[in-house]
Amino acid sequence: MSGEPQADCLFCKIVAGEIPATVVRKTERTIAIRDINPQAPTHVLVMPRAHYPNAPELAAAEPLVAAELLTEAAEVAAEEGIADYRLILNVGAGAGQTVFHVHVHVLGGKPLREGMV
Ligand code: 5GP
Ligand code: ZN
């Protein structure tokens, strides 16, 4: 069934507590963890507990949870004390996606380069 945990998914294992991570926020439907290889002083990944490979598939199946990723990203930024931040959703390997369990990158805490890429 759509959204079920996948045995070969790193982030499903983190959600299940089978692999450790630094959890910064949790809701019934989402968790937020620090990225293991931070690209900015704040680099947090907000993800649904349910497994969907990317943002469009999550939004199609569970639009309220997709929206909650954004409100949770804002809560993370507020807790980290950053007013301006960048949200990134990579969709597909060609765009840099390496973990196929949807996650929003929350990046901030330093001046971020302007531009799209
Ligand atoms: P993507 O490239 O799929 O958009 O982002 C995957 C992110 O997951 C990368 O920024 C990478 O550093 C992070 N990551 C990969 N493995 C782990 C891990 O085991 N723990 C944590 N906390 N982050 C991870
Ligand atoms: Zn997963």
Side-chain angles (χ1 to χ4, degrees):
M1 186 185 141
S2 184
E4 294 301 312
Q6 301 295 303
D8 59 350
C9 174
L10 173 65
F11 287 174
C12 282
K13 290 183 179 137
I14 287 177
V15 167
E18 293 165 14
I19 291 177
T22 304
V23 177
V24 297
R25 283 187 62 84
K26 284 182 183 176
T27 71
E28 277 181 35
R29 293 156 299 276
T30 69
I31 71 165
I33 63 170
R34 293 208 187 276
D35 197 290
I36 204 168
N37 182 24
Q39 303 299 308
T42 290
H43 188 172
V44 170
L45 306 173
V46 185
M47 66 189 74
R49 292 175 185 268
H51 178 94
Y52 292 94
N54 57 44
E57 292 199 34
L58 171 66
E62 301 201 38
L64 293 178
V65 180
E68 190 174 0
L69 295 187
L70 301 182
T71 53
E72 280 299 300
E75 292 291 342
V76 167
E79 287 185 6
E80 298 276 315
I82 51 175
D84 297 338
Y85 51 93
R86 181 169 294 161
L87 302 181
I88 296 176
L89 280 159
N90 293 323
V91 181
Q97 189 176 4
T98 59
V99 180
F100 292 85
H101 178 129
V102 54
H103 50 280
V104 181
H105 296 257
V106 184
L107 290 155
K110 69 172 184 185
L112 295 167
R113 198 163 54 87
E114 290 180 27
M116 295 296 289
V117 291

